[in-house]
Amino acid sequence: MKVYRAHQLMMRSLSKVIPFPRPKLLTGAGCVSELADHIKQKGLKRVLIVTDSVLMGLKLLDTLTASFDKHNIKYTIFDEVQPNPTIKNVEDGRKVYLKNRCNGIVAFGGGSPMDCAKMIGARVRNPYMSVQKMRGLFRVFIPIPPFYCVPTTAGTGSETTIVAVISNPETHEKLVITDFKLVPKVAVLDPELMVGLPKHITSTTGMDALTHAIEAYIGHNGTKFTNGNAEEATKLIFENLEKVYHDGSDLEARSNMALASFYAGLAFTKAYVGYVHAIAHNMGGLYGVPHGLANAIILPHVLEFSAEAAESKLASLAIAGGIGKSTESERELSHRFIAKVKAMNENMSMPTTIKELKESDIPLIAKRALAEAHPDYPVPTFMCQSECEDLIRKLLP
Ligand SMILES: NC(=O)c1ccc[n+]([C@@H]2O[C@H](COP(=O)([O-])OP(=O)(O)OC[C@H]3O[C@@H](n4cnc5c(N)ncnc54)[C@H](O)[C@@H]3O)[C@@H](O)[C@H]2O)c1
Ligand SMILES: [Fe+2]
């Protein structure tokens, strides 16, 4: 464990000195049509728009494509991205990019299209490196083509992170690829695109953003910058997520959630995530459980496991989130924080178990989750195989 902490300390020192690229931010209702200007300035001849068939069916891309037509920007649409995108999705998108001689990429959608687009760009420029070979830290050698992100969920923060998560259906694993080169040039936070998000996707993606903020904050690698962003994200999520769950057309609350997701992304891209994500990624890889849903269900259990080690930080986050005062004891505040997370889940009708989970898979899930978390994730306190299995057992239907 000391070796893990030494590794994390090194990563923390590096993250303080290395400048992380940050996208330029466009915000406000209808801002998606401003993206064309930025692409025009870059002089791109044809862009690949990476999205999914649901968003195509909802005609959500119409404003974007109309603005491209108006600015005479040519585009090809690749809409075959699946939730929890696969290596095949990346390779298919790469073929379409090359066939149509594109020279830029616009991701339009949730984390799945954004991550798939990142890796299409990485594969286009690094043809000798497979997705599997780029797994891990800083293995995208040649920069991706000019890249732009339009998130349509307020959750993953992929529009600002150095991360892409791709599923390998052969091994049922999620591959995490981490590189500065995966950050887009511009991120478009347009609340109008999120108005039609179904309730269960609003809630689960919102809880993903909250998990990013919490894991970045209670881990050992927080800095002033990441803690500030995690605090702001937590406050915004506490104030807006349930509101927008009940009234999806509340544009102000949608804007606040989009910002919260972005801030949480800024926090975790530097300070990492923790066991919630390590376990959730494996629920996604093995059973295809949506990422935010897995996080929402797992989060209270990991917080309870870490409650003592993270007491002081959970207490500060409770105060920052507006649910406590500094005159109260840390124990009281940290318990209230965990209770708040549970209440949010309950108020948004979140299940408490993972219906696909099988007892016989638990040892493998725990083994893979710990292999993902150690040594990179600066968790408040370490978990061993049997503790992880016991925690996962609580999620059995
Ligand atoms: N790169 C990162 O930093 C990062 C961080 C966290 C998670 N992830 C990854 O992101 C993926 C999950 O992304 P997600 O949670 O955003 O979900 P998603 O992109 O898989 O979308 C979920 C569903 O919501 C639909 N949808 C999206 N926007 C909509 C809208 N505005 N209106 C109606 N329907 C809409 C999609 O069509 C899809 O069916 C996972 O693969 C996860 O591992 C990446
Ligand atoms: Fe996440």
Side-chain angles (χ1 to χ4, degrees), residues 166-188:
I166 302 294
S167 293
N168 182 348
E170 276 171 27
T171 59
H172 301 287
E173 279 177 294
K174 276 194 152 189
L175 313 176
V176 182
I177 300 103
T178 305
D179 202 294
F180 293 127
K181 300 185 189 80
L182 300 177
V183 179
K185 293 197 175 308
V186 179
V188 181

Side-chain angles (χ1 to χ4, degrees), residues 52 54-55 58 60 83-85 110-113 115 152-153 156 158 161 163 165 174 193 196-198 201 205 208 212 268 291:
D52 65 44
V54 174
L55 302 178
L58 291 171
L60 214 61
N84 293 324
S112 299
D115 286 4
T152 61
T153 58
T156 68
S158 183
T161 70
V163 178
V165 188
K174 276 194 152 189
L193 300 173
L197 259 181
I201 301 181
T205 50
D208 182 24
H212 296 152
F268 94 82
H291 177 70

Side-chain angles (χ1 to χ4, degrees), residues 1 4-5 8 214-222 271-279 302 305-306 309-310 313 369-370 372-384:
M1 305 299 170
Y4 297 166
R5 286 289 185 229
Q8 291 159 11
I214 298 174
E215 294 209 291
Y217 196 82
I218 66 174
H220 275 227
N221 280 22
Y272 281 86
V273 283
Y275 288 128
V276 184
H277 270 79
I279 300 169
V302 172
F305 176 84
S306 322
K313 288 182 179 170
L370 296 184
E372 176 179 326
H374 303 155
D376 288 339
Y377 295 175
V379 291
T381 183
F382 291 109
M383 208 179 260
C384 67

Side-chain angles (χ1 to χ4, degrees), residues 312-371:
S312 173
K313 288 182 179 170
L314 285 173
S316 324
L317 204 51
I319 297 168
I323 58 165
K325 294 198 174 67
S326 52
T327 47
E328 296 172 279
S329 78
E330 289 191 340
R331 172 82 29 111
E332 209 174 321
L333 287 164
S334 65
H335 284 178
R336 190 173 316 139
F337 189 92
I338 299 173
K340 168 78 180 170
V341 170
K342 287 183 184 168
M344 286 176 78
N345 272 347
E346 208 179 313
N347 295 342
M348 297 188 292
S349 304
M350 204 73 80
T352 52
T353 59
I354 293 182
K355 65 176 194 303
E356 296 85 350
L357 179 61
K358 290 203 274 299
E359 170 72 46
S360 55
D361 290 334
I362 292 177
L364 176 69
I365 298 171
K367 188 168 165 245
R368 285 180 171 178
L370 296 184

